[in-house]
Amino acid sequence: MDVQTSATRRVLVAKPRGYCAGVDRAVQAVERALEQYGAPIYVRKQIVHNTHVVKTLEERGAVFVEETEEVPEGAIVVFSAHGVAPAVHEEAASRRLRTIDATCPLVTKVHNEAKRFAAKDYDILLIGHEGHEEVEGTAGEAPEHVQLVDGLDGVEGVSVRDPERVVWLSQTTLSVDETTETVARLRTRFPNLIDPPSDDICYATSNRQTAVKQIAAESDLVIVVGSGNSSNSKRLVEVAKDYGAAASYLVDDASFVRDEWLEGVATVGLTSGASVPEELVRGVLAKLAEHGFTEVEEVESVQESMRFALPHELRKDLRAV
């Protein structure tokens, strides 16, 4: 154990953290499908971006594939929380796959906005990260109308047909502050840029960033539990640094926490991304306790009560049982 006494060492645990309603719904969708239909249940891409969740579901009989062409004809496939383009639905239909669409309803909202503005012949500036599954799905709704704006650096490369008919949309898991800055810079180029009908960054992403801001200034170190391919988790690391933490690290679980990070540290801030099971946070708390961080305080910035129903395909089959 470190030479510092435990009395001087504390952990500020952010609340809300961990699972959001969309992730909970998606994970439950795979679990329920396995219960109702038995293994194997195929899942296109990672159901959510967390290695532990994926491994646990694999152990229960879920088979993760990159594309629907890898799924045997006539089998059941679950689409991930990040959403898919219409072309993916069409390919699944052509292969007679039984689909369960676990797309987060808040992502579906952005898809519907893209379709609506494309129907009105607007240029759509989609703020997001190139290659992210959510961006690919949203852009696929109206590829001839959508341009990706990957952060501030992407603003200058944007060209539109009519500056009077331009709207911005965004990936749901971005940094709130960076997105606001990106929109402001876009508006210097296109003063009549239209905002989406409601904020595209989801409530859970925004709330978790707010919670981190609240603990970062009091923390020498902020640990974010989450996988490296989780956009919202990586944003939490950035927000922690921007709002006062001297250091911030992303860890998959407690085994990734390095002892040297804790040297000379009195206060650790702790949170987790929106696809992280609470048991992984408890594991980090146990690791910190071994180093004298026994004073634990939960800091709640906002209460969450959002819940989403299971995908309609599962609800329909449940009613038929």
Side-chain angles (χ1 to χ4, degrees):
M1 183 180 289
D2 212 298
V3 293
Q4 283 185 267
T5 64
S6 60
T8 65
R9 317 196 92 177
R10 63 174 180 157
V11 186
L12 300 179
V13 186
K15 185 178 181 180
R17 63 182 178 276
Y19 270 17
C20 64
V23 164
D24 191 41
R25 174 182 184 266
V27 174
Q28 280 194 54
V30 178
E31 293 173 339
R32 188 65 60 87
L34 286 165
E35 292 169 6
Q36 285 183 226
Y37 311 118
I41 294 294
Y42 293 87
V43 184
R44 184 184 181 274
K45 307 290 188 182
Q46 291 189 356
I47 185 68
V48 296
H49 286 161
N50 184 266
T51 55
H52 289 267
V53 171
V54 169
K55 182 180 178 182
T56 299
L57 291 173
E58 282 179 330
E59 290 169 352
R60 294 185 57 178
V63 178
F64 291 86
V65 299
E66 283 300 301
E67 299 298 342
T68 51
E69 64 187 23
E70 301 171 56
V71 181
E73 286 203 18
I76 297 173
V77 62
V78 181
F79 294 144
S80 80
H82 308 104
V84 298
V88 176
H89 286 282
E90 293 165 6
E91 182 181 6
S94 72
R95 294 178 56 77
R96 298 183 296 106
L97 302 181
R98 294 178 61 189
T99 61
I100 298 172
D101 191 352
T103 301
C104 174
L106 300 179
V107 174
T108 299
K109 176 183 77 71
V110 183
H111 280 228
N112 290 336
E113 290 169 352
K115 288 188 287 188
R116 186 165 60 251
F117 282 106
K120 296 179 180 178
D121 202 30
Y122 277 77
D123 280 328
I124 300 167
L125 308 183
L126 178 59
I127 302 172
H129 298 304
E130 186 171 4
H132 193 280
E133 292 152 41
E134 183 186 329
V135 165
E136 292 177 349
T138 302
E141 294 287 359
E144 69 282 3
H145 288 269
V146 173
Q147 288 183 67
L148 178 64
V149 182
D150 196 341
L152 291 169
D153 293 339
V155 172
E156 293 308 313
V158 172
S159 62
V160 300
R161 295 167 299 159
D162 181 354
E164 302 300 315
R165 300 184 65 79
V166 186
V167 63
W168 69 271
L169 304 176
S170 81
Q171 183 181 327
T172 63
T173 54
L174 300 180
S175 161
V176 175
D177 293 340
E178 183 179 348
T179 301
T180 300
E181 192 174 349
T182 302
V183 172
R185 188 170 295 186
L186 283 169
R187 191 158 272 127
T188 63
R189 293 198 57 203
F190 311 109
N192 294 322
L193 180 69
I194 295 174
D195 297 324
S198 60
D199 195 347
D200 284 347
I201 295 178
C202 88
Y203 78 95
T205 298
S206 178
N207 288 350
R208 279 149 189 72
Q209 290 177 19
T210 298
V212 164
K213 291 174 184 178
Q214 191 164 337
I215 65 171
E218 295 185 57
S219 302
D220 304 303
L221 162 70
V222 171
I223 295 174
V224 179
V225 186
S227 294
N229 63 338
S230 168
S231 176
N232 77 85
S233 297
K234 291 192 289 187
R235 301 294 82 73
L236 291 173
V237 173
E238 296 168 0
V239 170
K241 292 177 181 177
D242 289 343
Y243 280 79
S248 183
Y249 299 102
L250 182 66
V251 302
D252 251 310
D253 55 45
S255 68
F256 287 77
V257 177
R258 297 171 61 174
D259 292 350
E260 56 264 35
W261 295 349
L262 306 176
E263 294 175 3
V265 169
T267 301
V268 172
L270 177 62
T271 190
S272 58
S275 53
V276 176
E278 182 64 12
E279 65 193 72
L280 299 183
V281 176
R282 291 196 294 269
V284 174
L285 281 172
K287 175 76 173 274
L288 291 173
E290 293 173 3
H291 290 266
F293 291 89
T294 54
E295 180 184 333
V296 178
E297 177 185 349
E298 191 171 64
V299 180
E300 184 172 17
S301 61
V302 61
Q303 292 187 341
E304 284 186 350
S305 58
M306 183 78 74
R307 296 289 184 273
F308 294 137
L310 285 170
H312 71 88
E313 299 93 343
L314 286 169
R315 300 200 306 275
K316 176 184 64 179
D317 286 355
L318 278 173
R319 288 194 298 269
V321 173

